[in-house]
Amino acid sequence: MVLVYTHEAFRGHVTPPGHPERVERLAAVERGLAGLQVERRACPLGDEAEVLRCHPAGYLARVKAAVPSEGWAQLDGDTFLSPGSFEAAMRAVGGIRAAVDAVVSGEARTAFVAGRPPGHHAERETAMGFCLFGTVAIGAKRALDHHGLKRVAVVDFDVHHGNGTQDLLWDEGRCLFASTHQMPLYPGTGRPEERGAQGQVLNVPLREGSGGRAMREAYERLVFPALEAWEPELLLISAGFDAHADDPLAGLEWQPEDYAWLTERLCDFAGGRVVSSLEGGYDLDALAASVAAHVGVLEERGR
Ligand SMILES: [Zn+2]
């Protein structure tokens, strides 16, 4: 059993025609979940205090004020707001809070938040890369500051560097942030030299064209030893599925079985307490198959 947090409001975040981060992704995620034993929960509306764990009040107010009453507002080259975007983003924040609360309290061992917009590119005061609020970083802060955990970890396997999560957790000495990503690629950050204020950031670039074998080698050599040494009490995953071979936005060659392998191994940390949250993944069939593989393992390990 795995808890899956969703909400109809995620369909209300509408991007302009041709935009890769589109409403149809949700139906692909649903196809991936079909046949799995999931316990569905509606994402509660997040409250603003949760957002303020990571973003200044002025930024929150700016995003809220930018929401259009019709059509679109544009926050950067590829980040758009539609009338339903603020509620969707706040449901994603509420979903991660509920998922963290459920897993930390022992009500469930694993949870997946199937929300959008994604979050890992949102920096403290900058919306970018389709992202408004740093959902996963907010979840990590919730675990630390509200539940009093002493050590948590975030693993970001989206094909793009989680520059926002890195920015939000740069000074957070209680949280290991580990990201694997294609480099060079948007957003351009994520060099191994970027280590965080207390050496608790681990960036592992992967070469364009590399596949599951290179990914597994990188995790075995760098990420798993770091997690083992860190001994997190909770593991959060920024689960982007755009490293899949068929993804149109990037050039890695991962397959669904690679996501299954990686998820299985990640569930060996933090006593198996894992909260995962959807980030990228833009080929709909690849997204469905990858979600099935990832959440399938969370389901098995959640029993
Ligand atoms: Zn991505």
Side-chain angles (χ1 to χ4, degrees):
M1 197 276 287
V2 53
L3 294 180
V4 172
Y5 289 86
T6 59
H7 201 281
E8 270 303 304
F10 295 134
R11 295 180 188 285
H13 172 56
V14 181
T15 51
H19 196 288
E21 203 294 285
R22 57 207 192 276
V23 172
E24 290 78 6
R25 297 180 66 232
L26 294 166
V29 169
E30 287 301 329
R31 275 196 282 139
L33 296 175
L36 299 179
Q37 296 268 17
V38 307
E39 183 178 327
R40 280 170 186 281
R41 297 201 176 164
C43 292
L45 200 54
D47 53 58
E48 300 193 350
E50 295 297 325
V51 177
L52 299 180
R53 293 185 190 281
C54 285
H55 300 279
Y59 172 73
L60 173 62
R62 216 157 61 235
V63 171
K64 203 179 193 176
V67 174
S69 53
E70 57 182 78
W72 289 284
Q74 189 168 5
L75 296 180
D76 90 332
D78 50 22
T79 310
F80 292 84
L81 296 172
S82 70
S85 296
F86 190 74
E87 182 183 346
M90 293 304 285
R91 294 271 177 200
V93 168
I96 200 87
R97 184 195 63 200
V100 165
D101 290 357
V103 170
V104 170
S105 71
E107 194 188 328
R109 291 174 66 75
T110 58
F112 180 66
V113 184
R116 55 183 290 280
H120 74 149
H121 292 307
E123 299 185 342
R124 277 178 61 75
E125 303 194 57
T126 311
M128 59 183 278
F130 321 155
C131 300
L132 302 178
F133 303 129
T135 320
V136 167
I138 290 169
K141 290 284 196 185
R142 171 83 179 176
L144 294 165
D145 293 343
H146 178 80
H147 292 288
L149 299 195
K150 294 189 167 52
R151 300 169 77 79
V152 304
V154 172
V155 172
D156 184 329
F157 61 63
D158 188 280
V159 77
H160 303 97
H161 178 236
N163 63 294
T165 309
Q166 173 170 298
D167 181 49
L168 301 175
L169 297 175
W170 187 259
D171 297 326
E172 180 46 83
R174 299 168 295 174
C175 184
L176 172 72
F177 173 61
S179 176
T180 53
H181 41 272
Q182 181 183 325
M183 181 168 256
L185 190 68
Y186 180 90
T189 48
R191 289 173 298 112
E193 298 74 32
E194 297 163 28
R195 294 302 319 272
Q198 301 180 45
Q200 85 294 358
V201 167
L202 175 64
N203 281 305
V204 182
L206 300 169
R207 204 167 297 156
E208 180 173 7
S210 66
R213 181 192 279 198
M215 178 277 281
R216 294 178 195 214
E217 195 270 336
Y219 273 87
E220 297 277 16
R221 189 165 56 86
L222 296 166
V223 182
F224 297 151
L227 284 168
E228 204 161 298
W230 193 259
E231 298 183 349
E233 299 162 271
L234 174 72
L235 180 76
L236 293 113
I237 300 176
S238 260
F241 299 100
D242 39 11
H244 188 287
D246 294 342
D247 197 89
L249 295 198
L252 295 192
E253 303 288 333
W254 298 13
Q255 295 294 333
E257 56 265 32
D258 295 313
Y259 290 107
W261 177 87
L262 179 53
T263 309
E264 186 80 51
R265 295 295 304 271
L266 290 174
C267 284
D268 288 339
F269 297 99
R273 286 180 290 275
V274 174
V275 172
S276 176
S277 186
L278 180 67
E279 302 281 2
Y282 305 102
D283 178 89
L284 298 182
D285 289 339
L287 177 60
S290 303
V291 164
H294 175 62
V295 184
V297 172
L298 294 181
E299 182 235 84
E300 269 168 39
R301 298 293 295 255
R303 289 175 205 276

